Amino acid sequence: MAEMATRIEMIEARRPPDLRRGVLGWLRANLFDGPRNSVITLCVLAVLGWGLWPLVQWALIDADWLGSTREACSGEGACWVFISARFETIVYGFYPEAARWRVDTVFMMLGLLIAWLAIPRLPAKRWVGLFALVGFPVVAYVLLLGGHFGLMAVPTREWGGLMLTLTVAVVGIVGSLPLGVVLALGRRSRMPLVRGVCVVFIEFWRGVPLITVLFMASVMLPLFVPNEVEFDKLLRALIGIMFFWSAYMAEVVRGGLQAIPKGQEEAAKALGMGYWRRMGLIVLPQALKLVIPGIVNTFIALFKDTSLVLIIGLFDLLAIIRSGLTDSNWLGFATEGYVFAALMFWVFCFSMSRYSQYIERRLHTGHRN
Amino acid sequence: MATTNTASAPADEPMISVEGLNKWYGDFHVLRDIDLTVAKGERIVICGPSGSGKSTLIRCLNHLEEHQQGRIVVDGVTMTQDVKRIEQIRRNVGMVFQHFNLFPHLSVLDNCCISQTWVQKKPRAEAEKTAMEFLERVRIADQAHKYPGQLSGGQQQRVAIARALCMRPEVMLFDEPTSALDPEMIKEVLDVMVELARDGMTMLCVTHEMGFAKTVADRVIFMDQGQIIEQAPPETFFNHPQSDRTQMFLSQILGH
């Protein structure tokens, strides 16, 4: 009979074999896992190549890149000259050329602020965030609209293109999230009046198509307010968009609030926290983290729907590209225009999506209890 | 540091007094004519079958549940609907829950500091010092920078006890603190509770741990169907239970 064995030392943890790691390991495990799967992988690659090749050829290989007039287009592939020749208009709309540095400044500040807030290593997040929410809108407002400090006034009807799209999107995003959070909290309030107001607000704005909201803002509202009251069209559209999306945001956030166990609030109560501390310190940080996918989903929908402002005569990115299609010098470049517009929208939306996934991973603190 | 925000009850006055407490959930009468007085430093274990209202009773003491009739006075403060007064009472009453209810988005240290800095307005450094002191006491200081999700159930419950103690409460309420734990973790939590009891903390524990009741309780209260059926020191309670229902309950939980 074998002797009883007792292990005295623990076996050290070792690294997994190299073949299971890295790019090669991944390829091996996922694409070339045995002869059958290797054949399938090669077939799929062939089909993809065969299907996508014409697109690549049209968009990249046969395309015309250089030049400034229609003569530069050979007609074999895409003619990106159409875009590059109109690039300034696509970005700035009808914004006066002499004042475009103001738009550039605002773009750069926005980019810097977003980067600063998005990169975890950079310090002083609180102050930068405060500036982004309070200081930056004022600076951007003064710079873009002008009329103060010797800056030439640029009325909003001259705004357009990417700068208008970004203005609408950023104001919509920055305005609808906090408003949505307040509405979501209000809808769960125990005070009947607060709850009632929030429910009516949410259900009204959610039940109306955005196009209707924009029409009402631009056509109907002026009928009700006296003529002397000048109410900028873009401002009306911005408020409409903000209210509309805050109703959606409220329901997304409410979903998150409902997912937080009651015990969390009870524990905060037991520690003597009042309502706003319980919400601000305990419930909302968890609820918002939980609904990041839903929030970003709403942001992306908002971003894409900014192009609806074209129906009230504002020329956003898409509208300005469309208007270029009717330029008699450039007839027949609709495909390039739409592909470029789609690409621009996609780049912004995809960046938001990727960043949200990164944030989700970063905020993950192990299993929930 | 004693409570600075309230006039602490004089030594001869009870820490908690409950008179004629009644509570309904809709038509269901959960608490019926509860009278209870808890002296400063007294350790009380409340037991009874599930649904007997024992958790509801201690949850009324810090107004996690609202009562409809009766009077509750905690540390000299009478409970009313007034939010400020309720928060004042809650700052003096620590609570430990069955499911720990730690804040999963905060580290262990932050769990212990958040209420000190935001409710008691202590400077961060002082709050951290207090937190580490109590984490040391529940023997989990080495995990201070982990998140609750990375700890075992027993460890989480000890953190929850430390978190409540950081507020320097006059009374601690325990709502079935070991019921959600794996058997091998119950002891580490009970040990901490026994130490706390020996230090003279006023405690009310809803628990099925009869060993704990025998070791530390000054008084054991048996509840059934929303009423206090019997209360006695542990020796009397376990060896000479008076009512039939108590005898039956004891035979059921001690019988195997």
Side-chain angles (χ1 to χ4, degrees), chain A residues 134-261:
Chain A
V134 181
F136 175 67
V138 176
V139 174
Y141 178 85
V142 170
L143 275 178
L144 289 181
L145 206 58
H148 299 278
F149 310 111
L151 293 172
M152 174 177 56
V154 182
T156 54
R157 63 173 177 277
E158 291 177 21
W159 298 19
L162 182 63
M163 70 147 298
L164 183 72
T165 294
L166 285 180
T167 308
V168 175
V170 169
V171 172
I173 285 173
V174 173
S176 66
L177 182 59
L179 192 56
V181 169
V182 171
L183 286 169
L185 290 176
R187 193 167 185 167
R188 285 163 54 94
S189 166
R190 286 169 61 181
M191 287 178 272
L193 183 68
V194 174
R195 193 175 55 233
V197 168
C198 291
V199 169
V200 170
F201 187 96
I202 292 170
E203 294 306 337
F204 172 77
W205 290 99
R206 218 161 47 128
V208 185
L210 181 54
I211 293 193
T212 319
V213 173
L214 292 172
F215 264 132
M216 288 206 301
S218 75
V219 182
M220 275 174 61
L221 203 64
L223 300 178
F224 299 121
V225 291
N227 277 338
E228 303 85 66
V229 185
E230 182 103 29
F231 210 12
D232 189 85
K233 183 155 80 173
L234 177 62
L235 182 64
R236 279 179 273 149
L238 284 177
I239 293 174
I241 287 172
M242 213 160 78
F243 283 178
F244 180 85
W245 287 105
S246 69
Y248 278 88
M249 203 58 86
E251 290 298 283
V252 170
V253 173
R254 194 166 65 98
L257 292 175
Q258 274 171 352
I260 304 303

Side-chain angles (χ1 to χ4, degrees), chain A residues 340-358:
Chain A
F340 181 73
L343 187 70
M344 293 286 275
F345 276 102
W346 184 80
V347 164
F348 281 103
C349 295
F350 185 65
S351 317
M352 284 195 266
S353 159
R354 295 304 300 184
Y355 183 65
S356 86
Q357 285 172 24
Y358 162 75

Side-chain angles (χ1 to χ4, degrees), chain B residues 29 44 105 145 203 251:
Chain B
H29 200 172
I44 290 178
H105 62 304
H145 293 286
M203 292 166 71
S251 73

Side-chain angles (χ1 to χ4, degrees), chain A residues 39-201:
Chain A
V39 170
I40 292 177
T41 299
L42 292 174
C43 288
V44 170
L45 281 178
V47 170
L48 275 180
W50 175 75
L52 289 177
W53 182 247
L55 179 65
V56 174
Q57 200 166 23
W58 175 81
L60 301 174
I61 297 172
D62 290 345
D64 304 300
W65 299 90
L66 301 172
S68 57
T69 57
R70 198 187 172 125
E71 279 66 58
C73 300
S74 61
E76 280 167 25
C79 184
W80 298 118
V81 179
F82 170 65
I83 300 298
S84 60
R86 314 183 56 85
F87 192 70
E88 297 256 301
T89 318
I90 290 173
V91 173
Y92 302 104
F94 317 111
Y95 211 86
E97 229 158 300
R100 284 183 184 171
W101 63 270
R102 282 150 52 180
V103 179
D104 294 336
T105 315
V106 172
F107 274 167
M108 262 186 309
M109 281 172 75
L110 181 67
L112 274 177
L113 283 173
I114 290 176
W116 195 293
L117 291 172
I119 299 173
R121 264 173 310 163
L122 296 174
K125 285 272 187 298
R126 194 174 299 186
W127 298 109
V128 177
L130 196 70
F131 176 74
L133 286 180
V134 181
F136 175 67
V138 176
V139 174
Y141 178 85
V142 170
L143 275 178
L144 289 181
L145 206 58
H148 299 278
F149 310 111
L151 293 172
M152 174 177 56
V154 182
T156 54
R157 63 173 177 277
E158 291 177 21
W159 298 19
L162 182 63
M163 70 147 298
L164 183 72
T165 294
L166 285 180
T167 308
V168 175
V170 169
V171 172
I173 285 173
V174 173
S176 66
L177 182 59
L179 192 56
V181 169
V182 171
L183 286 169
L185 290 176
R187 193 167 185 167
R188 285 163 54 94
S189 166
R190 286 169 61 181
M191 287 178 272
L193 183 68
V194 174
R195 193 175 55 233
V197 168
C198 291
V199 169
V200 170
F201 187 96

